[in-house]
Amino acid sequence: MPAITVSHLVKSFSLAVRQPEQGRLRNFFKPEKEIVTAVDDISFTVPEGEAVAFIGPNGAGKSTTIKMLTGILYPTSGNMTVAGLHPYKNRRELAFRIGTLFGQRSQLVPNLPVRDSFELFGAIYELSPATVRRRQKELIGLFDLAEFVDRPVRKLSLGQRMRAEIAVALIHKPEIIFLDEPTIGLDIVAKKSLREVLGRINREEGVTLFLTSHDVGDIEALCTRTMVVNHGRIVVDESTDALKHDYFAHRPVKMVAVEPSLEEIIQDIYGAKK
Amino acid sequence: MGAKRIKNKRSFVSGLIAEFTVARIIWLTNFRAAMEFRTAFMLQIVGMMINDCAFLALWILFFQVMGSVNGWSGTQIFALLGMNLMCYGFTFGFAGGSLWLPRYVEQGTFDGFLLSPRNLYVRTMTSRFDLAGLGDALLGVILIIAYAVITGSALSLVWFAAMLPATMLIFLSVSVVAGTAAFYLPDSNHTVMAVFKVFMNPTMYPSALFPKVARFIFVVLIPSLTVGGLPVEAVMGHSWLTLGLVWLIALLWLLISIAAFYGSVRRYESGNFIGLRG
């Protein structure tokens, strides 16, 4: 069974548009309405265990698509299933089976230590206290949280918080993880470590990843397939390797640098400081 | 693979118990978070109690000057204010999320509740608690006990206890219905609070002050009197009819609020609020 199927999915929003020539009163009482189609008749299938990038410019419809797939938004038309469930009709059942990370939002309890968020989310997902303890231990190891797991979330750095965010989002062992800009605002080292862990979860546990990001490094490191979306439509859907070869104006040339790259130098410095 | 804990085969009652078990854990977590700032916590509680006492003193002075009004005197004000404060304090002390609904919708943080595997209504309402509400509730309990002592009627405590859950349901339901305006109106925080105050302000006045038409309006259309005046009348007259009426209105408003909430959620448009200053 595919992890995700989407068929002719459409999402439109109605916006009040101010008409300067109409006058303020008319604009106030009888505003003109404009229909904006954020997602325009998209269809695709994602097999179980695949890591897919869903990329495009700002306003292309990436986040709207993820929000429909996770049951946040109700589609205007079209069909979709995630883990065999309809995201909006079976919202609660689906929530037990997916994990989400929205880079610009936090779901941790800001004034309490990270450990308390593990316990809270364990209770929300109805895990037994023993299971919560076991998963907490696994995730603390996997995401290297031991150093700050007992510190209040508000005192964490952005990188530490993002690692904690994703660790907490995985407490219930989701089958599919939706990531919307997971590395936004992170430094090179934090990005690398987050990508490594996500890659490992995808390879070793067969978890399906559905990722949106503006960072090409995320896509190259994690995703075998890339869909490019623009103006609400999928304009490219192929393997990440093929995309690089087909759409770059110049062929990539592999080089082995004698001198270390700037990224490696920075990583060395950070590593030394650590 | 995956936590396939699909709970759709539960009975209604066991489902409800599961929701309230989780709600209790969320509440305790929120309470622990509030305890991180103990001084602010205590100040809010004490501040709210002082504010309520000033209001009580005002009414007692009023009745000292005016004498009794249609059978109401300072003693009934103890009961009215006590009932109101308990109702407000316990409702928003445990389920303050309805007052935050406009902010959740405006800032897009309502996403988090839609991603949660919990009952959306219960999860949203129990997501916050009003610290000052606990101060209200505490003073409310003291005033109701004071009323029972003054009137020498321990039975009145049982009557108040029988009515409290119904009045809390009304308070919660009306705040939810007002809060759903957030799904229809942009920047609705002030509008929602203004609408809610239309309901809340008359709850603090003796029902004897309302003429017949106003009484009808504030019982049937805007159920303000059902959380203050009517419960006190029921206790004064040991009226089973009034008790039944308050419960009937409570259940009706609960159904209305659930229908309004789920009907409105479909209009939710989410968003990526960054916090621009206008």
Side-chain angles (χ1 to χ4, degrees):
Chain A
M1 186 182 61
I4 302 169
T5 60
V6 171
S7 172
H8 303 290
L9 193 65
V10 175
K11 178 68 186 176
S12 304
F13 297 100
S14 170
L15 293 177
V17 183
R18 216 175 128 198
Q19 303 289 330
E21 71 279 7
Q22 298 281 9
R24 285 185 187 176
L25 270 180
R26 195 182 157 86
N27 270 315
F28 182 78
F29 288 107
K30 208 178 172 190
E32 293 283 325
K33 295 276 180 184
E34 185 189 332
I35 302 294
V36 175
T37 304
V39 174
D40 189 6
D41 194 23
I42 62 169
S43 302
F44 61 86
T45 302
V46 177
E48 273 183 12
E50 194 169 44
V52 183
F54 198 68
I55 61 170
N58 289 330
K62 307 181 298 291
S63 296
T64 305
T65 305
I66 281 205
K67 283 175 181 175
M68 283 192 283
L69 292 173
T70 51
I72 292 172
L73 290 177
Y74 198 88
T76 307
S77 64
N79 293 308
M80 59 189 161
T81 61
V82 177
L85 297 164
H86 187 286
Y88 208 86
K89 288 178 190 155
N90 312 107
R91 183 189 62 80
R92 293 177 64 188
E93 289 92 332
L94 181 65
F96 278 110
R97 297 173 65 175
I98 62 169
T100 50
L101 179 72
F102 292 90
Q104 295 161 22
R105 297 259 159 79
S106 176
Q107 54 182 350
L108 305 174
V109 186
N111 296 330
L112 293 178
V114 178
R115 199 180 288 282
D116 290 52
S117 290
F118 275 116
E119 282 159 20
L120 176 65
F121 278 83
I124 285 174
Y125 285 101
E126 300 188 23
L127 305 177
S128 68
T131 310
V132 174
R133 278 195 296 275
R134 182 175 50 75
R135 281 295 287 161
Q136 192 175 309
K137 199 175 162 192
E138 283 170 15
L139 293 164
I140 287 171
L142 190 64
F143 286 89
D144 197 16
L145 310 179
E147 190 191 332
F148 55 86
V149 72
D150 290 310
R151 219 179 281 166
V153 171
R154 68 173 190 279
K155 303 235 165 132
L156 303 182
S157 71
L158 184 62
Q160 290 172 328
R161 186 177 69 74
M162 289 302 285
R163 274 192 281 158
E165 289 280 356
I166 191 151
V168 168
L170 300 182
I171 186 93
H172 59 298
K173 272 204 160 197
E175 297 162 44
I176 305 167
I177 307 174
F178 292 92
L179 303 141
D180 191 359
E181 304 278 0
T183 57
I184 194 165
L186 299 186
D187 65 39
I188 300 168
V189 176
K191 275 182 187 176
K192 188 167 178 269
S193 110
L194 196 60
R195 286 171 192 157
E196 276 170 7
V197 180
L198 287 170
R200 208 182 315 159
I201 290 167
N202 171 246
R203 285 189 306 275
E204 294 173 11
E205 297 180 25
V207 172
T208 308
L209 298 183
F210 192 89
L211 166 99
T212 77
S213 181
H214 289 291
D215 190 323
V216 182
D218 291 348
I219 297 153
E220 283 190 295
L222 288 170
C223 301
T224 49
R225 176 182 165 195
T226 299
M227 284 184 259
V228 181
V229 60
N230 198 15
H231 299 300
R233 286 176 169 270
I234 294 172
V235 289
V236 174
D237 180 358
E238 56 183 288
S239 79
T240 306
D241 283 341
L243 182 80
K244 281 196 290 186
H245 282 80
D246 296 349
Y247 287 88
F248 280 147
H250 304 284
R251 293 285 173 199
V253 177
K254 276 192 177 176
M255 290 179 70
V256 180
V258 178
E259 294 291 328
S261 68
L262 182 60
E263 189 172 331
E264 285 167 332
I265 292 169
I266 292 169
Q267 277 179 24
D268 278 353
I269 294 167
Y270 283 167
K273 276 188 179 172
K274 213 175 167 186
Chain B
M1 186 182 63
K4 294 179 182 171
R5 300 174 63 87
I6 301 170
K7 305 288 179 184
N8 52 358
K9 285 182 182 158
R10 271 183 175 146
S11 71
F12 175 73
V13 175
S14 66
L16 211 57
I17 291 169
E19 290 308 324
F20 284 107
T21 305
V22 174
R24 184 182 64 85
I25 294 167
I26 292 169
W27 189 87
L28 287 172
T29 306
N30 285 340
F31 186 77
R32 277 208 311 278
M35 284 293 101
E36 288 289 304
F37 305 101
R38 289 172 197 83
T39 313
F41 175 78
M42 294 309 293
L43 278 176
Q44 281 194 57
I45 287 189
V46 173
M48 195 45 75
M49 287 175 84
I50 292 169
N51 181 43
D52 296 333
C53 285
F55 194 76
L56 177 69
L58 196 74
W59 271 113
I60 290 172
L61 279 173
F62 172 84
F63 280 106
Q64 273 183 351
V65 174
M66 300 296 291
S68 77
V69 178
N70 292 340
W72 281 68
S73 65
T75 315
Q76 277 71 47
I77 290 300
F78 271 74
L80 177 72
L81 199 58
M83 193 69 196
N84 248 296
L85 292 176
M86 280 202 303
C87 181
Y88 180 91
F90 284 125
T91 305
F92 297 125
F94 289 99
S98 58
L99 297 179
W100 282 75
L101 201 49
R103 268 167 282 191
Y104 291 150
V105 173
E106 191 181 313
Q107 297 174 2
T109 46
F110 191 66
D111 291 8
F113 306 126
L114 286 162
L115 291 169
S116 165
R118 310 310 326 166
N119 177 289
L120 189 59
Y121 188 95
V122 178
R123 178 72 186 90
T124 309
M125 300 318 145
T126 56
S127 60
R128 291 268 172 176
F129 79 109
D130 182 2
L131 278 179
L134 295 179
D136 284 326
L138 182 62
L139 185 63
V141 172
I142 293 168
L143 290 177
I144 289 295
I145 292 170
Y147 174 84
V149 172
I150 293 166
T151 56
S153 167
L155 189 63
S156 64
L157 294 178
V158 180
W159 275 86
F160 282 121
M163 244 158 330
L164 182 63
T167 58
M168 285 169 64
L169 280 181
I170 295 170
F171 234 99
L172 176 70
S173 304
V174 174
S175 68
V176 171
V177 172
T180 54
F183 292 101
Y184 301 87
L185 305 170
D187 198 13
S188 60
N189 198 22
H190 296 294
T191 314
V192 167
M193 285 317 290
V195 169
F196 186 59
K197 277 181 182 168
V198 171
F199 157 78
M200 204 168 78
N201 289 346
T203 63
M204 309 287 268
Y205 293 91
S207 51
L209 299 178
F210 290 76
K212 274 185 183 169
V213 177
R215 194 177 164 89
F216 175 80
I217 291 170
F218 285 103
V219 171
V220 178
L221 300 179
I222 307 166
S224 309
L225 291 185
T226 56
V227 296
L230 283 193
V232 177
E233 282 180 17
V235 175
M236 284 159 68
H238 290 184
S239 167
W240 288 97
L241 191 67
T242 311
L243 176 71
L245 179 69
V246 171
W247 268 102
L248 181 69
I249 290 171
L251 295 176
L252 269 175
W253 270 90
L254 179 65
L255 291 177
I256 291 169
S257 75
I258 291 171
F261 179 73
Y262 283 104
S264 305
V265 165
R266 286 179 67 139
R267 294 181 60 96
Y268 178 58
E269 292 188 351
S270 188
N272 296 311
F273 187 84
I274 298 176
L276 300 172
R277 290 186 67 182

